[in-house]
Amino acid sequence: MAADKASEAKDLDLEDLLEIVCDLLAGVRQTVLDPGFELDVETKSNRNDLVTAVDKQIEAYISEMLMAATGYPLLGEEGHSVSSFAGRVWVLDPIDGTMNYVTTHRDYAISLALCEDGRPVLGVVVDVLAGLTYTAIAGQGAYCDWQPLARVNETRGRREVVIITDIKEIVALPRLTRCLLESRGHRRYGSAALECVEVAAGRAGAFVHMWVSPWDIAAAYLICVESGVKFTRLDGTPLDVRYPGSVLVGWPQAHTELLSALMRQVE
């Protein structure tokens, strides 16, 4: 049955798949806002790595709906795994920023990407509380609520932008601390997907993080790239979203200058 669905899905183009995903996530967003049941908060790897019943149920629901609609397997933060990235694979974070969802009640997102042989070709990030939906299809630009995002500034350097990063990076990377002091300011939101789309939308010039997982950034990666953002590992090497690791995300000149400053002593 799954094989039949996968065969049928190959006739769906990316525009059709984007419509399916956006309709699905519009309903899921309402569930996140008002689940109608207890959150049942648990910890995973550490006391600040939270999961709720909402995360689990949403992932299970999205996986079931997408399998029925497309036949493609799904990799999800809350337990869904894949044996291979060959062909088309969905990559999902049902709630990116669960700590925010539980505590501050803002700055959390649903992040869903479709990868083809490991490369994102469709990405959707839903800012749940703000009600904004960021989308991208490879080669077709990036959008927010179906309005095109302007290409980011290509010439503004690191001293002229806001930089998003966390205290862990500031402590671990003294050169980053100096960059922050010389920049237009430092921000932190607690959802990697939203922090990336802040850069894509032109509200921040860079995002630095030492460890993200595929579901954190697969969708945001495509949205960023389609808006002209450079998206690499912290040392400037190319990013493969199939594997966890560091990220350096930035407008072209800001990215170039940050990479230079972080990889050698700042003059």
Side-chain angles (χ1 to χ4, degrees), residues 11 21 25 43 63 91-92 98 105 130 150 153-154 157 165 172-173 175 183 213 216 219 230 238 259:
D11 294 330
V21 166
L25 296 189
T43 59
S63 177
V91 181
L92 171 69
T98 302
H105 311 300
N153 188 298
E154 295 187 358
T165 194
L173 302 169
R175 297 173 187 175
S183 75
S213 296
D216 296 319
K230 295 184 70 174
L259 177 62

Side-chain angles (χ1 to χ4, degrees), residues 42-46 48-52 54-60 62-63 74-82 85 89-99 108-113 190-193 211-218:
E42 300 176 359
T43 59
K44 296 190 290 185
S45 63
N46 62 69
N48 291 327
D49 184 13
L50 304 183
V51 62
T52 72
V54 182
D55 296 76
K56 295 176 182 178
Q57 291 199 26
I58 285 173
E59 180 169 311
I62 292 175
S63 177
L74 181 141
L75 173 68
E77 181 177 12
E78 308 309 338
H80 286 76
S81 61
V82 295
F85 267 90
V89 175
W90 296 107
V91 181
L92 171 69
D93 193 336
I95 301 180
D96 182 44
T98 302
M99 177 65 79
Y108 53 90
I110 306 165
S111 174
L112 179 63
S191 162
W211 189 262
V212 292
S213 296
W215 43 78
D216 296 319
I217 51 91

Side-chain angles (χ1 to χ4, degrees), residues 48 85-86 92 99 124 137 139 143 148 194 214 218 230 233 258 266:
N48 291 327
F85 267 90
L92 171 69
M99 177 65 79
V124 180
I137 291 174
Y143 294 78
L194 290 183
K230 295 184 70 174
R233 295 299 185 192
L258 274 171
V266 181

Side-chain angles (χ1 to χ4, degrees), residues 18 22 25 38 40 55 90 122 140 159 182 202 217 236 255:
L18 181 60
C22 288
L25 296 189
E38 294 296 323
D40 192 21
D55 296 76
W90 296 107
L122 182 156
Q140 297 187 26
R159 292 177 174 84
E182 294 174 343
I217 51 91
H255 183 284

Side-chain angles (χ1 to χ4, degrees), residues 96-266:
D96 182 44
T98 302
M99 177 65 79
N100 291 347
Y101 181 58
V102 171
T103 59
T104 65
H105 311 300
R106 65 180 187 184
D107 297 327
Y108 53 90
I110 306 165
S111 174
L112 179 63
L114 179 65
C115 291
E116 196 164 84
D117 296 323
R119 181 177 63 89
V121 294
L122 182 156
V124 180
V125 173
V126 178
D127 184 335
V128 175
L129 196 63
L132 299 173
T133 300
Y134 299 87
T135 60
I137 291 174
Q140 297 187 26
Y143 294 78
C144 178
D145 286 349
W146 310 107
Q147 298 301 309
L149 291 178
R151 300 282 290 184
V152 298
N153 188 298
E154 295 187 358
T155 61
R156 192 171 297 171
R158 66 177 176 84
R159 292 177 174 84
E160 299 303 318
V161 302
V162 169
I163 299 173
I164 302 174
T165 194
D166 191 10
I167 187 65
K168 297 187 295 298
E169 282 68 32
I170 295 171
V171 171
L173 302 169
R175 297 173 187 175
L176 176 59
T177 302
R178 180 167 176 177
C179 291
L180 295 175
L181 291 171
E182 294 174 343
S183 75
R184 298 301 297 271
H186 159 238
R187 300 291 184 272
R188 174 65 167 140
Y189 302 101
S191 162
L194 290 183
E195 288 162 329
C196 289
V197 298
E198 284 288 290
V199 180
R203 293 186 288 267
F207 170 56
V208 181
H209 206 291
M210 292 191 301
W211 189 262
V212 292
S213 296
W215 43 78
D216 296 319
I217 51 91
Y221 168 86
L222 185 61
I223 294 165
C224 283
V225 169
E226 288 294 320
S227 61
V229 174
K230 295 184 70 174
F231 206 123
T232 67
R233 295 299 185 192
L234 198 54
D235 62 359
T237 55
L239 185 87
D240 188 329
V241 301
R242 294 174 294 179
Y243 305 105
S246 65
V247 289
L248 174 58
V249 183
W251 302 352
Q253 186 61 27
H255 183 284
T256 297
E257 293 180 10
L258 274 171
L259 177 62
S260 177
L262 294 173
M263 291 298 104
R264 61 176 174 79
Q265 197 66 38
V266 181

